[in-house]
Amino acid sequence: MRTVRTVAELREALAPARRDGATIGLVPTMGALHAGHLSLIEAARAGTDVVVVSLFVNPTQFAPDEDLDAYPRDEAGDARAAEGAGADVLFAPSVAEVYPDGFATTVRVAGVSDPLEGARRPGHFDGVATVVTKLLNMVQPDVAYFGRKDAQQLAVIRRLVADLNLPVRIEGCPTVREPDGLAMSSRNAYLAPEDRPRALALSRALEAAREAVAAGTTDAAAVAAAARVPMDELGVEPEYLAVVDPETFQPVTAVDRDVLVAVAARVGRARLIDNATIRPDGSVP
Ligand code: PAF
């Protein structure tokens, strides 16, 4: 695996593949790679000829009071993990390479960026949309891989790719979970041992929502109330617990088609999110 730090080096590294008509896969990451990221890299390895992993802790998607400085960083460990999972190129640019002096453009996806995460983290999705647009233009992949754990981010990216006619296929990959159900996240590193059992509140809420739908509940408010029960039992207060349309993230009133149940909560120092798509018969696609 080759590590490159500038767009010029990246383009030079990818030139032979492009000349030969090989397909290029991109896995954008902020590092602190865990099994969820590795599953994206493995999907890219299986689906494309040349796999690029980007490693960039994007400052524009963090609010001033968020964890930009504390965000876990271990480039050497990430490089080993990415290579082990099948990456060919690690693109690890500096902040100045991505946002040079005079940088003045923001990509904003209206609508889907606004509720839930967008309401709690103003500007977050503008930062994500801007950096992802740049990464897609820098790498020019055939396919880019994102985790469904960040479902709203995935919906924002799908919208921007469609709206801007970007010539890339977006692949949403399943959430990878710990054996007890906790969704893998770089921010799980913030969980103190005494908080770890309470972190299960999110996945249990989603399971309770699924069971309620499977048992015949169609009213979205009743599904949300059922999901709330395990959270209350574990003493975890949701920041939001919402039943929404999976594309627009607007609230729905009934589970009469596929819906997304999305939840966010603080558990100790960690702010965690999780979600599940639920079909009207209570199955999960
Ligand atoms: O999901 C992430 O790790 C980040 O939001 C992304 C897509 C790499 C953009 O910085």
Side-chain angles (χ1 to χ4, degrees):
M1 186 185 73
R2 181 168 165 199
T3 298
V4 296
R5 298 191 185 279
T6 66
V7 179
E9 282 175 317
L10 174 71
R11 295 224 160 117
E12 187 230 295
L14 295 178
R18 240 185 268 288
R19 214 175 27 239
D20 297 347
T23 54
I24 297 173
L26 170 64
V27 181
T29 83
M30 298 205 300
L33 300 188
H34 52 66
H37 295 111
L38 302 186
S39 75
L40 301 181
I41 300 172
E42 284 158 9
R45 178 76 281 154
T48 54
D49 300 320
V50 177
V51 177
V52 180
V53 173
S54 64
L55 194 173
F56 180 63
V57 183
N58 174 36
T60 64
Q61 67 188 77
F62 290 80
D65 61 343
E66 290 186 340
D67 57 342
L68 174 62
D69 293 336
Y71 202 82
R73 287 170 173 85
D74 171 16
E75 185 183 314
D78 286 340
R80 277 193 300 277
E83 185 167 25
D88 299 300
V89 177
L90 184 71
F91 176 46
S94 65
V95 173
E97 181 70 9
V98 178
Y99 299 113
D101 278 350
F103 186 84
T105 301
T106 298
V107 178
R108 168 158 178 71
V109 181
V112 63
S113 293
D114 297 332
L116 305 186
E117 283 302 287
R120 269 91 196 159
R121 305 183 67 190
H124 169 68
F125 286 125
D126 297 356
V128 170
T130 303
V131 82
V132 169
T133 304
K134 283 181 66 81
L135 289 167
L136 292 174
N137 283 330
M138 289 166 170
V139 178
Q140 299 183 332
D142 297 279
V143 191
Y145 297 81
F146 295 88
R148 287 192 217 138
K149 203 211 95 197
D150 295 305
Q152 196 172 358
Q153 166 172 285
L154 183 57
V156 167
I157 291 165
R158 286 195 194 284
R159 185 77 260 162
L160 91 81
V161 163
D163 288 356
L164 300 181
N165 304 100
L166 299 183
V168 61
R169 193 176 94 230
I170 300 298
E171 199 62 55
C173 298
T175 301
V176 178
R177 297 181 180 279
E178 302 282 1
D180 63 4
L182 177 67
M184 299 263 184
S185 164
S186 306
R187 291 190 167 98
N188 292 351
Y190 301 148
L191 284 169
E194 63 273 22
D195 292 327
R196 176 64 179 77
R198 295 170 55 243
L200 292 182
L202 288 84
S203 55
R204 289 200 182 152
L206 299 174
E207 181 52 22
R210 197 198 60 72
E211 282 169 9
V213 176
T217 308
T218 53
D219 177 60
V223 171
R228 180 72 197 243
V229 172
M231 302 199 75
D232 290 343
E233 280 166 7
L234 285 164
V236 173
E237 177 69 23
E239 271 187 17
Y240 59 76
L241 176 53
V243 186
V244 298
D245 177 279
E247 268 179 40
T248 64
F249 278 72
Q250 289 306 306
V252 298
T253 53
V255 186
D256 49 8
R257 60 203 146 111
D258 287 6
V259 298
L260 188 107
V261 181
V263 59
R266 275 189 193 280
V267 180
R269 275 182 59 226
R271 182 177 184 279
L272 305 176
I273 61 172
D274 202 348
N275 68 84
T277 303
I278 301 179
R279 298 219 147 116
D281 64 359
S283 66
V284 174

